[in-house]
Amino acid sequence: MELATISEKLARDVGRLTFSSPVAHVYNPLVYAGDPHERYLTRYGTGRKEAVFVGMNPGPWGMAQTGVPFGEVEMVREWLGIDGEVGKPPAEHPRKRVEGFSCRRSEVSGRRLWGLFRARSGEPERFFARFFVLNYCPLLFLDADGRNITPDRLKRGEQEPLLAACDEALRRSAVCLGPDRVVGIGAFAAARAEAALAGLGIPVGRILHPSPASPAANRNWEQTALAQLREQGIEL
């Protein structure tokens, strides 16, 4: 299966990279949550898509737990119908432990995003017949205090090989899925999609990231996102 092959290569490529302070912990759910991740790809990542949504990187209570982009546990298990064995990263931070599908924490971004798709599509098969969701970078970075470090805040010398690997994977995924449009979830994902897909003739748009850390996202994110999608010709 092409997406699984792309994901396996990406996992190997980023697994060779090293990161220095302030990065203290690196989680790669493509490895320790590879079982549910592959189930997601093989079940829903087939056929040509109208649009592909691209996020930035895993959240500690989402993809870091389930291997699914924006993968809030309840949404993944109850709506997407995906479960599976989840192991552990080599070095966990005590405040950001990986408990897999036993995790009781809810990732707000994932609940908002998949909640919107569920509300508009009903059954997941209806959504995935037209769309797919990927993360640009598969790694979660934490500092010594357990705070997230986003990929754009990495040191330049450590960021460049990471972006190169992620660009290649996104480009290959876009060729595989053949979308009419790619939609970055947030400014970083949109910018990286534009760079990775240059020359392919695939338009790249964006929607507001659903993170609760964004004041704008806490003011009716769903309606904002729907309006932004309509401006791009996408009706959920």
Side-chain angles (χ1 to χ4, degrees):
M1 194 271 181
E2 183 67 17
L3 285 184
T5 301
I6 295 168
S7 178
E8 289 168 4
K9 183 178 185 303
L10 177 60
R12 291 194 301 271
D13 289 346
V14 300
R16 299 186 186 104
L17 304 178
T18 58
F19 303 91
S20 59
S21 180
V23 175
H25 301 265
V26 181
Y27 293 11
N28 187 351
L30 300 189
V31 175
Y32 66 80
D35 180 23
H37 177 71
E38 185 171 357
R39 293 186 189 194
Y40 170 71
L41 297 181
T42 55
R43 180 170 181 177
Y44 295 120
T46 59
R48 186 175 178 276
K49 304 300 182 183
E50 179 180 328
V52 172
F53 294 87
V54 179
M56 180 165 54
N57 73 314
W61 314 119
M63 187 174 179
Q65 302 293 332
T66 65
V68 175
F70 290 88
E72 195 265 354
V73 172
E74 184 178 345
M75 283 290 178
V76 173
R77 185 171 50 215
E78 302 300 328
W79 191 57
L80 299 183
I82 291 174
D83 206 330
E85 183 177 349
V86 176
K88 295 277 191 178
E92 286 182 295
H93 191 283
R95 295 180 184 174
K96 299 288 173 66
R97 296 195 182 280
V98 172
E99 299 174 319
F101 288 86
S102 298
C103 178
R104 295 177 178 269
R105 295 287 297 265
S106 175
E107 184 181 76
V108 176
S109 295
R111 178 167 287 279
R112 285 175 174 172
L113 187 75
W114 289 115
L116 172 60
F117 296 155
R118 180 178 62 179
R120 306 296 290 192
S121 301
E123 298 300 320
E125 289 76 15
R126 290 188 62 198
F127 174 79
F128 287 106
R130 301 173 58 202
F131 307 114
F132 196 62
V133 181
L134 292 170
N135 258 341
Y136 171 74
C137 172
L139 302 180
L140 168 67
F141 303 97
L142 301 173
D143 68 13
D145 294 320
R147 293 183 295 248
N148 287 4
I149 300 173
T150 52
D152 57 311
R153 292 169 52 207
L154 297 172
K155 294 176 180 177
R156 177 179 285 276
E158 296 172 353
Q159 186 184 94
E160 289 174 349
L162 175 68
L163 299 185
C166 296
D167 281 357
E168 179 191 356
L170 180 56
R171 188 178 181 91
R172 291 181 62 197
S173 298
V175 170
C176 176
L177 296 170
D180 298 326
R181 175 175 289 273
V182 166
V183 180
I185 303 171
F188 176 85
R192 292 316 312 166
E194 287 185 351
L197 305 181
L200 291 184
I202 302 174
V204 176
R206 61 177 283 195
I207 60 172
L208 179 67
H209 196 286
S211 170
S214 165
N218 293 325
R219 294 192 296 268
N220 205 346
W221 173 83
E222 180 176 311
Q223 292 306 314
T224 299
L226 288 172
Q228 291 172 326
L229 288 173
R230 290 191 190 103
E231 290 174 359
Q232 299 170 63
I234 298 173
E235 287 285 349
L236 293 181

